[in-house]
Amino acid sequence: MTDDTVGPPETDDVLGPGWVARTLPLRPDALSRRGAPGPVATLVHRRPDADRPRPRTAVLYLHGFVDYFFHPHVADALADAGYDLWALDLRDYGRSIRPGRPANEITDLATYDEEIDTAVRLLRASHDRVVVMAHSTGGLTAALWADARRGRGLVDALVLNSPWLELRGNAFERTVLTQAIDVAGRVAPRLVVSRTARHYGEALHAASGGEWDYDLAWKPHAFDVRAGFARTVRRGHARVARGLAVDCPVLVLASDAAGPDDRWHEALLSTDSVLDPAQIAARAPLLGPDVTFVQVPGGAHDLALSPAPARVRYLAEVRRFLDTRVGTRPEQDADA
């Protein structure tokens, strides 16, 4: 990408040789108007090979809650199939965390539209097609973003990895507790209402026996959930329940089984121990008229971090969907 009109130039990224990051300055918000640093997002990608033509389709990756992009193996799998992966660390997440700004907090998911719009505009300047691939809370955010921008031709497909489309829990939590959160999130948005369980993160991380090495300052095992965040997520769930009208093909993928989220167990990485796949399957058809749902047997909550063979199956399903519904090469356009 050669457009230097948005923020500083690219710099070397924490992922190491070949990876670069660009800081995207965002509009001032309430925090910055009170003296905090201004919000930023961060766009990450592998430096292109000068000897090879740039792929015609870009895939923009959006992370989940208390998360960031550390998935070069996903970029590798997509590159092998002819797709160019970029990743966006949203404001106050991962690479975009700034001192003086609370990490991983938001009171309106639509706030993220600014950085998604900016990233998509940049990618459309250098690619023919753009796909948004998103995980968990990022999946909810991406679906709401795509619905709000239908008819504009901004996105050619969505790929949603275990999207958070409904609250896991009992009927009381989904009704009475949600009503209480709606009030609390409006009057006391920073009130801590719960805390994420640490077991799934510990199962993932190399320091505690897992397969993946990532920055625990950016993706800690446990984190406080505040009322303002919970309120906007539940309002997003309500919008999904009423039905969206995303006007591009959507692939929704989830594990084939739920595991308990409140204790250590041997199936933490072979079940979804954060969300309920049955809820994801039930809500997926409400996203739009063209939705494909795929179960990944033995998948973890982040299907891309599942042990093989579930991870291999997940990536193969993504590539199959993209090849079928989006395409990568000039000859595919000619055949369309």
PDB file of all heavy atoms in Angstrom, residues 39-77:
ATOM      1  N   PRO A  39      -7.704   8.582  20.220  1.00  0.00           N
ATOM      2  CA  PRO A  39      -7.838   7.167  19.849  1.00  0.00           C
ATOM      3  C   PRO A  39      -7.141   6.878  18.527  1.00  0.00           C
ATOM      4  O   PRO A  39      -7.085   7.730  17.638  1.00  0.00           O
ATOM      5  CB  PRO A  39      -9.353   6.977  19.723  1.00  0.00           C
ATOM      6  CG  PRO A  39      -9.868   8.339  19.362  1.00  0.00           C
ATOM      7  CD  PRO A  39      -8.976   9.311  20.077  1.00  0.00           C
ATOM      8  N   VAL A  40      -6.617   5.668  18.427  1.00  0.00           N
ATOM      9  CA  VAL A  40      -6.017   5.202  17.183  1.00  0.00           C
ATOM     10  C   VAL A  40      -6.436   3.756  16.963  1.00  0.00           C
ATOM     11  O   VAL A  40      -6.809   3.042  17.896  1.00  0.00           O
ATOM     12  CB  VAL A  40      -4.471   5.284  17.201  1.00  0.00           C
ATOM     13  CG1 VAL A  40      -4.000   6.717  17.402  1.00  0.00           C
ATOM     14  CG2 VAL A  40      -3.885   4.360  18.263  1.00  0.00           C
ATOM     15  N   ALA A  41      -6.379   3.327  15.733  1.00  0.00           N
ATOM     16  CA  ALA A  41      -6.449   1.919  15.390  1.00  0.00           C
ATOM     17  C   ALA A  41      -5.139   1.556  14.697  1.00  0.00           C
ATOM     18  O   ALA A  41      -4.348   2.440  14.354  1.00  0.00           O
ATOM     19  CB  ALA A  41      -7.646   1.631  14.492  1.00  0.00           C
ATOM     20  N   THR A  42      -4.900   0.255  14.498  1.00  0.00           N
ATOM     21  CA  THR A  42      -3.630  -0.175  13.888  1.00  0.00           C
ATOM     22  C   THR A  42      -3.910  -1.213  12.816  1.00  0.00           C
ATOM     23  O   THR A  42      -4.577  -2.231  13.082  1.00  0.00           O
ATOM     24  CB  THR A  42      -2.688  -0.775  14.945  1.00  0.00           C
ATOM     25  OG1 THR A  42      -2.583   0.114  16.058  1.00  0.00           O
ATOM     26  CG2 THR A  42      -1.311  -0.999  14.355  1.00  0.00           C
ATOM     27  N   LEU A  43      -3.426  -0.954  11.620  1.00  0.00           N
ATOM     28  CA  LEU A  43      -3.600  -1.859  10.486  1.00  0.00           C
ATOM     29  C   LEU A  43      -2.294  -2.618  10.271  1.00  0.00           C
ATOM     30  O   LEU A  43      -1.230  -2.009  10.112  1.00  0.00           O
ATOM     31  CB  LEU A  43      -3.973  -1.059   9.243  1.00  0.00           C
ATOM     32  CG  LEU A  43      -4.471  -1.820   8.023  1.00  0.00           C
ATOM     33  CD1 LEU A  43      -5.734  -2.616   8.339  1.00  0.00           C
ATOM     34  CD2 LEU A  43      -4.743  -0.853   6.874  1.00  0.00           C
ATOM     35  N   VAL A  44      -2.385  -3.940  10.258  1.00  0.00           N
ATOM     36  CA  VAL A  44      -1.207  -4.819  10.245  1.00  0.00           C
ATOM     37  C   VAL A  44      -1.261  -5.708   9.005  1.00  0.00           C
ATOM     38  O   VAL A  44      -2.327  -6.208   8.639  1.00  0.00           O
ATOM     39  CB  VAL A  44      -1.187  -5.704  11.512  1.00  0.00           C
ATOM     40  CG1 VAL A  44       0.044  -6.598  11.523  1.00  0.00           C
ATOM     41  CG2 VAL A  44      -1.258  -4.848  12.763  1.00  0.00           C
ATOM     42  N   HIS A  45      -0.115  -5.902   8.379  1.00  0.00           N
ATOM     43  CA  HIS A  45      -0.073  -6.859   7.269  1.00  0.00           C
ATOM     44  C   HIS A  45       1.365  -7.272   7.003  1.00  0.00           C
ATOM     45  O   HIS A  45       2.324  -6.679   7.522  1.00  0.00           O
ATOM     46  CB  HIS A  45      -0.696  -6.269   5.999  1.00  0.00           C
ATOM     47  CG  HIS A  45       0.137  -5.229   5.315  1.00  0.00           C
ATOM     48  ND1 HIS A  45       0.765  -5.434   4.107  1.00  0.00           N
ATOM     49  CD2 HIS A  45       0.438  -3.963   5.679  1.00  0.00           C
ATOM     50  CE1 HIS A  45       1.413  -4.340   3.764  1.00  0.00           C
ATOM     51  NE2 HIS A  45       1.236  -3.432   4.691  1.00  0.00           N
ATOM     52  N   ARG A  46       1.506  -8.319   6.206  1.00  0.00           N
ATOM     53  CA  ARG A  46       2.830  -8.760   5.788  1.00  0.00           C
ATOM     54  C   ARG A  46       3.280  -7.923   4.596  1.00  0.00           C
ATOM     55  O   ARG A  46       2.501  -7.680   3.673  1.00  0.00           O
ATOM     56  CB  ARG A  46       2.799 -10.249   5.414  1.00  0.00           C
ATOM     57  CG  ARG A  46       4.150 -10.804   5.056  1.00  0.00           C
ATOM     58  CD  ARG A  46       4.090 -12.280   4.757  1.00  0.00           C
ATOM     59  NE  ARG A  46       4.162 -13.086   5.967  1.00  0.00           N
ATOM     60  CZ  ARG A  46       3.264 -13.990   6.334  1.00  0.00           C
ATOM     61  NH1 ARG A  46       2.198 -14.187   5.602  1.00  0.00           N
ATOM     62  NH2 ARG A  46       3.418 -14.682   7.440  1.00  0.00           N
ATOM     63  N   ARG A  47       4.522  -7.478   4.638  1.00  0.00           N
ATOM     64  CA  ARG A  47       5.048  -6.673   3.541  1.00  0.00           C
ATOM     65  C   ARG A  47       4.964  -7.472   2.246  1.00  0.00           C
ATOM     66  O   ARG A  47       5.366  -8.632   2.184  1.00  0.00           O
ATOM     67  CB  ARG A  47       6.499  -6.290   3.834  1.00  0.00           C
ATOM     68  CG  ARG A  47       7.096  -5.316   2.839  1.00  0.00           C
ATOM     69  CD  ARG A  47       8.504  -4.904   3.232  1.00  0.00           C
ATOM     70  NE  ARG A  47       8.500  -3.899   4.309  1.00  0.00           N
ATOM     71  CZ  ARG A  47       8.906  -4.142   5.549  1.00  0.00           C
ATOM     72  NH1 ARG A  47       9.323  -5.347   5.906  1.00  0.00           N
ATOM     73  NH2 ARG A  47       8.888  -3.176   6.451  1.00  0.00           N
ATOM     74  N   PRO A  48       4.420  -6.876   1.170  1.00  0.00           N
ATOM     75  CA  PRO A  48       4.220  -7.646  -0.056  1.00  0.00           C
ATOM     76  C   PRO A  48       5.529  -8.042  -0.717  1.00  0.00           C
ATOM     77  O   PRO A  48       6.552  -7.358  -0.583  1.00  0.00           O
ATOM     78  CB  PRO A  48       3.418  -6.682  -0.944  1.00  0.00           C
ATOM     79  CG  PRO A  48       3.695  -5.323  -0.392  1.00  0.00           C
ATOM     80  CD  PRO A  48       3.909  -5.500   1.076  1.00  0.00           C
ATOM     81  N   ASP A  49       5.476  -9.141  -1.425  1.00  0.00           N
ATOM     82  CA  ASP A  49       6.617  -9.628  -2.192  1.00  0.00           C
ATOM     83  C   ASP A  49       6.675  -8.860  -3.508  1.00  0.00           C
ATOM     84  O   ASP A  49       5.747  -8.921  -4.316  1.00  0.00           O
ATOM     85  CB  ASP A  49       6.442 -11.127  -2.447  1.00  0.00           C
ATOM     86  CG  ASP A  49       7.647 -11.750  -3.132  1.00  0.00           C
ATOM     87  OD1 ASP A  49       8.477 -11.004  -3.685  1.00  0.00           O
ATOM     88  OD2 ASP A  49       7.755 -12.990  -3.125  1.00  0.00           O
ATOM     89  N   ALA A  50       7.764  -8.138  -3.711  1.00  0.00           N
ATOM     90  CA  ALA A  50       7.883  -7.296  -4.909  1.00  0.00           C
ATOM     91  C   ALA A  50       7.905  -8.116  -6.191  1.00  0.00           C
ATOM     92  O   ALA A  50       7.617  -7.591  -7.277  1.00  0.00           O
ATOM     93  CB  ALA A  50       9.149  -6.448  -4.820  1.00  0.00           C
ATOM     94  N   ASP A  51       8.230  -9.406  -6.074  1.00  0.00           N
ATOM     95  CA  ASP A  51       8.334 -10.251  -7.266  1.00  0.00           C
ATOM     96  C   ASP A  51       7.014 -10.926  -7.636  1.00  0.00           C
ATOM     97  O   ASP A  51       6.948 -11.647  -8.629  1.00  0.00           O
ATOM     98  CB  ASP A  51       9.401 -11.331  -7.056  1.00  0.00           C
ATOM     99  CG  ASP A  51      10.788 -10.734  -6.885  1.00  0.00           C
ATOM    100  OD1 ASP A  51      11.049  -9.680  -7.493  1.00  0.00           O
ATOM    101  OD2 ASP A  51      11.602 -11.327  -6.144  1.00  0.00           O
ATOM    102  N   ARG A  52       5.983 -10.694  -6.835  1.00  0.00           N
ATOM    103  CA  ARG A  52       4.700 -11.334  -7.110  1.00  0.00           C
ATOM    104  C   ARG A  52       3.614 -10.267  -7.175  1.00  0.00           C
ATOM    105  O   ARG A  52       3.641  -9.301  -6.412  1.00  0.00           O
ATOM    106  CB  ARG A  52       4.357 -12.353  -6.014  1.00  0.00           C
ATOM    107  CG  ARG A  52       5.377 -13.474  -5.883  1.00  0.00           C
ATOM    108  CD  ARG A  52       5.019 -14.393  -4.738  1.00  0.00           C
ATOM    109  NE  ARG A  52       3.712 -15.016  -4.923  1.00  0.00           N
ATOM    110  CZ  ARG A  52       3.152 -15.822  -4.023  1.00  0.00           C
ATOM    111  NH1 ARG A  52       3.743 -16.050  -2.872  1.00  0.00           N
ATOM    112  NH2 ARG A  52       1.986 -16.369  -4.266  1.00  0.00           N
ATOM    113  N   PRO A  53       2.631 -10.430  -8.072  1.00  0.00           N
ATOM    114  CA  PRO A  53       1.537  -9.454  -8.130  1.00  0.00           C
ATOM    115  C   PRO A  53       0.710  -9.517  -6.849  1.00  0.00           C
ATOM    116  O   PRO A  53       0.567 -10.573  -6.222  1.00  0.00           O
ATOM    117  CB  PRO A  53       0.722  -9.909  -9.344  1.00  0.00           C
ATOM    118  CG  PRO A  53       1.061 -11.361  -9.514  1.00  0.00           C
ATOM    119  CD  PRO A  53       2.484 -11.515  -9.070  1.00  0.00           C
ATOM    120  N   ARG A  54       0.183  -8.376  -6.441  1.00  0.00           N
ATOM    121  CA  ARG A  54      -0.638  -8.340  -5.243  1.00  0.00           C
ATOM    122  C   ARG A  54      -1.938  -9.110  -5.494  1.00  0.00           C
ATOM    123  O   ARG A  54      -2.571  -8.939  -6.540  1.00  0.00           O
ATOM    124  CB  ARG A  54      -0.972  -6.893  -4.873  1.00  0.00           C
ATOM    125  CG  ARG A  54      -1.817  -6.785  -3.600  1.00  0.00           C
ATOM    126  CD  ARG A  54      -2.221  -5.349  -3.312  1.00  0.00           C
ATOM    127  NE  ARG A  54      -1.104  -4.514  -2.969  1.00  0.00           N
ATOM    128  CZ  ARG A  54      -0.558  -4.460  -1.752  1.00  0.00           C
ATOM    129  NH1 ARG A  54      -1.023  -5.225  -0.789  1.00  0.00           N
ATOM    130  NH2 ARG A  54       0.461  -3.659  -1.522  1.00  0.00           N
ATOM    131  N   PRO A  55      -2.359  -9.955  -4.557  1.00  0.00           N
ATOM    132  CA  PRO A  55      -3.656 -10.622  -4.715  1.00  0.00           C
ATOM    133  C   PRO A  55      -4.775  -9.610  -4.909  1.00  0.00           C
ATOM    134  O   PRO A  55      -4.732  -8.498  -4.378  1.00  0.00           O
ATOM    135  CB  PRO A  55      -3.811 -11.386  -3.400  1.00  0.00           C
ATOM    136  CG  PRO A  55      -2.418 -11.604  -2.918  1.00  0.00           C
ATOM    137  CD  PRO A  55      -1.663 -10.376  -3.334  1.00  0.00           C
ATOM    138  N   ARG A  56      -5.785 -10.009  -5.660  1.00  0.00           N
ATOM    139  CA  ARG A  56      -6.867  -9.090  -5.983  1.00  0.00           C
ATOM    140  C   ARG A  56      -7.894  -8.986  -4.857  1.00  0.00           C
ATOM    141  O   ARG A  56      -8.675  -8.037  -4.830  1.00  0.00           O
ATOM    142  CB  ARG A  56      -7.546  -9.542  -7.281  1.00  0.00           C
ATOM    143  CG  ARG A  56      -6.566  -9.605  -8.458  1.00  0.00           C
ATOM    144  CD  ARG A  56      -7.241  -9.970  -9.744  1.00  0.00           C
ATOM    145  NE  ARG A  56      -8.159  -8.919 -10.166  1.00  0.00           N
ATOM    146  CZ  ARG A  56      -8.818  -8.945 -11.317  1.00  0.00           C
ATOM    147  NH1 ARG A  56      -8.653  -9.966 -12.143  1.00  0.00           N
ATOM    148  NH2 ARG A  56      -9.636  -7.965 -11.647  1.00  0.00           N
ATOM    149  N   THR A  57      -7.884  -9.946  -3.932  1.00  0.00           N
ATOM    150  CA  THR A  57      -8.845  -9.929  -2.834  1.00  0.00           C
ATOM    151  C   THR A  57      -8.120  -9.748  -1.515  1.00  0.00           C
ATOM    152  O   THR A  57      -7.218 -10.517  -1.179  1.00  0.00           O
ATOM    153  CB  THR A  57      -9.663 -11.236  -2.792  1.00  0.00           C
ATOM    154  OG1 THR A  57     -10.362 -11.394  -4.029  1.00  0.00           O
ATOM    155  CG2 THR A  57     -10.666 -11.214  -1.649  1.00  0.00           C
ATOM    156  N   ALA A  58      -8.510  -8.736  -0.760  1.00  0.00           N
ATOM    157  CA  ALA A  58      -7.992  -8.502   0.586  1.00  0.00           C
ATOM    158  C   ALA A  58      -8.979  -9.053   1.605  1.00  0.00           C
ATOM    159  O   ALA A  58     -10.195  -8.932   1.440  1.00  0.00           O
ATOM    160  CB  ALA A  58      -7.777  -7.015   0.828  1.00  0.00           C
ATOM    161  N   VAL A  59      -8.440  -9.623   2.671  1.00  0.00           N
ATOM    162  CA  VAL A  59      -9.247 -10.106   3.794  1.00  0.00           C
ATOM    163  C   VAL A  59      -8.850  -9.281   5.010  1.00  0.00           C
ATOM    164  O   VAL A  59      -7.681  -9.272   5.403  1.00  0.00           O
ATOM    165  CB  VAL A  59      -9.015 -11.602   4.054  1.00  0.00           C
ATOM    166  CG1 VAL A  59      -9.826 -12.063   5.260  1.00  0.00           C
ATOM    167  CG2 VAL A  59      -9.385 -12.426   2.819  1.00  0.00           C
ATOM    168  N   LEU A  60      -9.814  -8.581   5.587  1.00  0.00           N
ATOM    169  CA  LEU A  60      -9.571  -7.738   6.753  1.00  0.00           C
ATOM    170  C   LEU A  60     -10.029  -8.476   7.999  1.00  0.00           C
ATOM    171  O   LEU A  60     -11.208  -8.790   8.150  1.00  0.00           O
ATOM    172  CB  LEU A  60     -10.334  -6.414   6.630  1.00  0.00           C
ATOM    173  CG  LEU A  60     -10.189  -5.442   7.812  1.00  0.00           C
ATOM    174  CD1 LEU A  60      -8.745  -4.942   7.930  1.00  0.00           C
ATOM    175  CD2 LEU A  60     -11.163  -4.277   7.670  1.00  0.00           C
ATOM    176  N   TYR A  61      -9.094  -8.722   8.914  1.00  0.00           N
ATOM    177  CA  TYR A  61      -9.359  -9.506  10.123  1.00  0.00           C
ATOM    178  C   TYR A  61      -9.689  -8.581  11.295  1.00  0.00           C
ATOM    179  O   TYR A  61      -8.959  -7.628  11.580  1.00  0.00           O
ATOM    180  CB  TYR A  61      -8.132 -10.350  10.464  1.00  0.00           C
ATOM    181  CG  TYR A  61      -8.265 -11.163  11.733  1.00  0.00           C
ATOM    182  CD1 TYR A  61      -8.734 -12.469  11.693  1.00  0.00           C
ATOM    183  CD2 TYR A  61      -7.934 -10.614  12.968  1.00  0.00           C
ATOM    184  CE1 TYR A  61      -8.859 -13.213  12.863  1.00  0.00           C
ATOM    185  CE2 TYR A  61      -8.070 -11.350  14.135  1.00  0.00           C
ATOM    186  CZ  TYR A  61      -8.532 -12.641  14.068  1.00  0.00           C
ATOM    187  OH  TYR A  61      -8.662 -13.369  15.222  1.00  0.00           O
ATOM    188  N   LEU A  62     -10.805  -8.883  11.996  1.00  0.00           N
ATOM    189  CA  LEU A  62     -11.193  -8.175  13.215  1.00  0.00           C
ATOM    190  C   LEU A  62     -11.175  -9.156  14.381  1.00  0.00           C
ATOM    191  O   LEU A  62     -11.789 -10.225  14.311  1.00  0.00           O
ATOM    192  CB  LEU A  62     -12.603  -7.580  13.088  1.00  0.00           C
ATOM    193  CG  LEU A  62     -12.873  -6.614  11.948  1.00  0.00           C
ATOM    194  CD1 LEU A  62     -14.305  -6.119  12.025  1.00  0.00           C
ATOM    195  CD2 LEU A  62     -11.897  -5.454  11.968  1.00  0.00           C
ATOM    196  N   HIS A  63     -10.513  -8.783  15.463  1.00  0.00           N
ATOM    197  CA  HIS A  63     -10.348  -9.637  16.637  1.00  0.00           C
ATOM    198  C   HIS A  63     -11.583  -9.583  17.538  1.00  0.00           C
ATOM    199  O   HIS A  63     -12.545  -8.831  17.280  1.00  0.00           O
ATOM    200  CB  HIS A  63      -9.123  -9.177  17.424  1.00  0.00           C
ATOM    201  CG  HIS A  63      -9.203  -7.723  17.780  1.00  0.00           C
ATOM    202  ND1 HIS A  63      -9.975  -7.237  18.802  1.00  0.00           N
ATOM    203  CD2 HIS A  63      -8.618  -6.628  17.196  1.00  0.00           C
ATOM    204  CE1 HIS A  63      -9.867  -5.921  18.862  1.00  0.00           C
ATOM    205  NE2 HIS A  63      -9.051  -5.519  17.889  1.00  0.00           N
ATOM    206  N   GLY A  64     -11.537 -10.334  18.628  1.00  0.00           N
ATOM    207  CA  GLY A  64     -12.610 -10.344  19.605  1.00  0.00           C
ATOM    208  C   GLY A  64     -12.314  -9.467  20.812  1.00  0.00           C
ATOM    209  O   GLY A  64     -11.430  -8.603  20.780  1.00  0.00           O
ATOM    210  N   PHE A  65     -13.044  -9.713  21.909  1.00  0.00           N
ATOM    211  CA  PHE A  65     -12.906  -8.948  23.148  1.00  0.00           C
ATOM    212  C   PHE A  65     -11.610  -9.352  23.859  1.00  0.00           C
ATOM    213  O   PHE A  65     -11.274 -10.529  23.943  1.00  0.00           O
ATOM    214  CB  PHE A  65     -14.112  -9.234  24.038  1.00  0.00           C
ATOM    215  CG  PHE A  65     -14.109  -8.503  25.351  1.00  0.00           C
ATOM    216  CD1 PHE A  65     -13.975  -7.128  25.403  1.00  0.00           C
ATOM    217  CD2 PHE A  65     -14.260  -9.200  26.546  1.00  0.00           C
ATOM    218  CE1 PHE A  65     -13.978  -6.450  26.623  1.00  0.00           C
ATOM    219  CE2 PHE A  65     -14.276  -8.537  27.763  1.00  0.00           C
ATOM    220  CZ  PHE A  65     -14.123  -7.160  27.803  1.00  0.00           C
ATOM    221  N   VAL A  66     -10.898  -8.362  24.376  1.00  0.00           N
ATOM    222  CA  VAL A  66      -9.599  -8.571  25.036  1.00  0.00           C
ATOM    223  C   VAL A  66      -8.716  -9.446  24.128  1.00  0.00           C
ATOM    224  O   VAL A  66      -8.280 -10.528  24.492  1.00  0.00           O
ATOM    225  CB  VAL A  66      -9.759  -9.205  26.433  1.00  0.00           C
ATOM    226  CG1 VAL A  66      -8.449  -9.109  27.209  1.00  0.00           C
ATOM    227  CG2 VAL A  66     -10.867  -8.532  27.234  1.00  0.00           C
ATOM    228  N   ASP A  67      -8.436  -8.926  22.956  1.00  0.00           N
ATOM    229  CA  ASP A  67      -7.788  -9.735  21.927  1.00  0.00           C
ATOM    230  C   ASP A  67      -7.044  -8.802  20.978  1.00  0.00           C
ATOM    231  O   ASP A  67      -7.171  -7.578  21.054  1.00  0.00           O
ATOM    232  CB  ASP A  67      -8.862 -10.533  21.180  1.00  0.00           C
ATOM    233  CG  ASP A  67      -8.332 -11.791  20.512  1.00  0.00           C
ATOM    234  OD1 ASP A  67      -7.115 -12.047  20.584  1.00  0.00           O
ATOM    235  OD2 ASP A  67      -9.154 -12.512  19.916  1.00  0.00           O
ATOM    236  N   TYR A  68      -6.262  -9.399  20.092  1.00  0.00           N
ATOM    237  CA  TYR A  68      -5.568  -8.656  19.049  1.00  0.00           C
ATOM    238  C   TYR A  68      -5.093  -9.662  18.018  1.00  0.00           C
ATOM    239  O   TYR A  68      -5.274 -10.878  18.185  1.00  0.00           O
ATOM    240  CB  TYR A  68      -4.406  -7.837  19.628  1.00  0.00           C
ATOM    241  CG  TYR A  68      -3.183  -8.653  20.045  1.00  0.00           C
ATOM    242  CD1 TYR A  68      -2.040  -8.695  19.247  1.00  0.00           C
ATOM    243  CD2 TYR A  68      -3.159  -9.372  21.238  1.00  0.00           C
ATOM    244  CE1 TYR A  68      -0.914  -9.425  19.618  1.00  0.00           C
ATOM    245  CE2 TYR A  68      -2.046 -10.101  21.616  1.00  0.00           C
ATOM    246  CZ  TYR A  68      -0.933 -10.123  20.806  1.00  0.00           C
ATOM    247  OH  TYR A  68       0.177 -10.862  21.175  1.00  0.00           O
ATOM    248  N   PHE A  69      -4.501  -9.188  16.929  1.00  0.00           N
ATOM    249  CA  PHE A  69      -4.074 -10.090  15.869  1.00  0.00           C
ATOM    250  C   PHE A  69      -2.685 -10.643  16.152  1.00  0.00           C
ATOM    251  O   PHE A  69      -1.707  -9.897  16.223  1.00  0.00           O
ATOM    252  CB  PHE A  69      -4.069  -9.364  14.519  1.00  0.00           C
ATOM    253  CG  PHE A  69      -3.568 -10.239  13.401  1.00  0.00           C
ATOM    254  CD1 PHE A  69      -4.341 -11.282  12.915  1.00  0.00           C
ATOM    255  CD2 PHE A  69      -2.312 -10.032  12.850  1.00  0.00           C
ATOM    256  CE1 PHE A  69      -3.883 -12.101  11.894  1.00  0.00           C
ATOM    257  CE2 PHE A  69      -1.839 -10.842  11.826  1.00  0.00           C
ATOM    258  CZ  PHE A  69      -2.624 -11.882  11.358  1.00  0.00           C
ATOM    259  N   PHE A  70      -2.609 -11.971  16.273  1.00  0.00           N
ATOM    260  CA  PHE A  70      -1.318 -12.664  16.408  1.00  0.00           C
ATOM    261  C   PHE A  70      -1.395 -13.993  15.649  1.00  0.00           C
ATOM    262  O   PHE A  70      -0.855 -14.996  16.087  1.00  0.00           O
ATOM    263  CB  PHE A  70      -0.977 -12.904  17.888  1.00  0.00           C
ATOM    264  CG  PHE A  70      -2.001 -13.701  18.651  1.00  0.00           C
ATOM    265  CD1 PHE A  70      -1.867 -15.074  18.798  1.00  0.00           C
ATOM    266  CD2 PHE A  70      -3.110 -13.088  19.201  1.00  0.00           C
ATOM    267  CE1 PHE A  70      -2.818 -15.822  19.497  1.00  0.00           C
ATOM    268  CE2 PHE A  70      -4.062 -13.822  19.900  1.00  0.00           C
ATOM    269  CZ  PHE A  70      -3.907 -15.200  20.044  1.00  0.00           C
ATOM    270  N   HIS A  71      -2.027 -13.980  14.495  1.00  0.00           N
ATOM    271  CA  HIS A  71      -2.379 -15.183  13.750  1.00  0.00           C
ATOM    272  C   HIS A  71      -1.680 -15.246  12.386  1.00  0.00           C
ATOM    273  O   HIS A  71      -2.334 -15.353  11.351  1.00  0.00           O
ATOM    274  CB  HIS A  71      -3.894 -15.225  13.519  1.00  0.00           C
ATOM    275  CG  HIS A  71      -4.741 -15.221  14.738  1.00  0.00           C
ATOM    276  ND1 HIS A  71      -4.696 -14.225  15.681  1.00  0.00           N
ATOM    277  CD2 HIS A  71      -5.692 -16.101  15.163  1.00  0.00           C
ATOM    278  CE1 HIS A  71      -5.585 -14.483  16.637  1.00  0.00           C
ATOM    279  NE2 HIS A  71      -6.188 -15.612  16.361  1.00  0.00           N
ATOM    280  N   PRO A  72      -0.362 -15.184  12.327  1.00  0.00           N
ATOM    281  CA  PRO A  72       0.286 -15.242  11.010  1.00  0.00           C
ATOM    282  C   PRO A  72       0.000 -16.541  10.253  1.00  0.00           C
ATOM    283  O   PRO A  72       0.062 -16.557   9.017  1.00  0.00           O
ATOM    284  CB  PRO A  72       1.776 -15.093  11.330  1.00  0.00           C
ATOM    285  CG  PRO A  72       1.911 -15.433  12.776  1.00  0.00           C
ATOM    286  CD  PRO A  72       0.626 -15.021  13.414  1.00  0.00           C
ATOM    287  N   HIS A  73      -0.333 -17.608  10.978  1.00  0.00           N
ATOM    288  CA  HIS A  73      -0.649 -18.865  10.287  1.00  0.00           C
ATOM    289  C   HIS A  73      -1.922 -18.733   9.457  1.00  0.00           C
ATOM    290  O   HIS A  73      -2.068 -19.418   8.435  1.00  0.00           O
ATOM    291  CB  HIS A  73      -0.774 -20.011  11.301  1.00  0.00           C
ATOM    292  CG  HIS A  73      -1.902 -19.873  12.262  1.00  0.00           C
ATOM    293  ND1 HIS A  73      -1.893 -18.961  13.300  1.00  0.00           N
ATOM    294  CD2 HIS A  73      -3.095 -20.527  12.360  1.00  0.00           C
ATOM    295  CE1 HIS A  73      -3.020 -19.068  13.991  1.00  0.00           C
ATOM    296  NE2 HIS A  73      -3.758 -19.990  13.437  1.00  0.00           N
ATOM    297  N   VAL A  74      -2.849 -17.873   9.883  1.00  0.00           N
ATOM    298  CA  VAL A  74      -4.047 -17.632   9.073  1.00  0.00           C
ATOM    299  C   VAL A  74      -3.664 -16.875   7.810  1.00  0.00           C
ATOM    300  O   VAL A  74      -4.140 -17.180   6.711  1.00  0.00           O
ATOM    301  CB  VAL A  74      -5.100 -16.867   9.890  1.00  0.00           C
ATOM    302  CG1 VAL A  74      -6.320 -16.529   9.024  1.00  0.00           C
ATOM    303  CG2 VAL A  74      -5.535 -17.691  11.100  1.00  0.00           C
ATOM    304  N   ALA A  75      -2.787 -15.878   7.950  1.00  0.00           N
ATOM    305  CA  ALA A  75      -2.304 -15.158   6.772  1.00  0.00           C
ATOM    306  C   ALA A  75      -1.610 -16.100   5.806  1.00  0.00           C
ATOM    307  O   ALA A  75      -1.792 -15.999   4.584  1.00  0.00           O
ATOM    308  CB  ALA A  75      -1.353 -14.045   7.206  1.00  0.00           C
ATOM    309  N   ASP A  76      -0.818 -17.035   6.331  1.00  0.00           N
ATOM    310  CA  ASP A  76      -0.118 -17.998   5.478  1.00  0.00           C
ATOM    311  C   ASP A  76      -1.111 -18.856   4.697  1.00  0.00           C
ATOM    312  O   ASP A  76      -0.958 -19.068   3.488  1.00  0.00           O
ATOM    313  CB  ASP A  76       0.779 -18.905   6.320  1.00  0.00           C
ATOM    314  CG  ASP A  76       1.952 -18.171   6.935  1.00  0.00           C
ATOM    315  OD1 ASP A  76       2.296 -17.076   6.446  1.00  0.00           O
ATOM    316  OD2 ASP A  76       2.518 -18.691   7.922  1.00  0.00           O
ATOM    317  N   ALA A  77      -2.127 -19.374   5.401  1.00  0.00           N
ATOM    318  CA  ALA A  77      -3.103 -20.246   4.746  1.00  0.00           C
ATOM    319  C   ALA A  77      -3.867 -19.500   3.662  1.00  0.00           C
ATOM    320  O   ALA A  77      -4.143 -20.059   2.585  1.00  0.00           O
ATOM    321  CB  ALA A  77      -4.069 -20.807   5.787  1.00  0.00           C
TER     322      ALA A  77
END
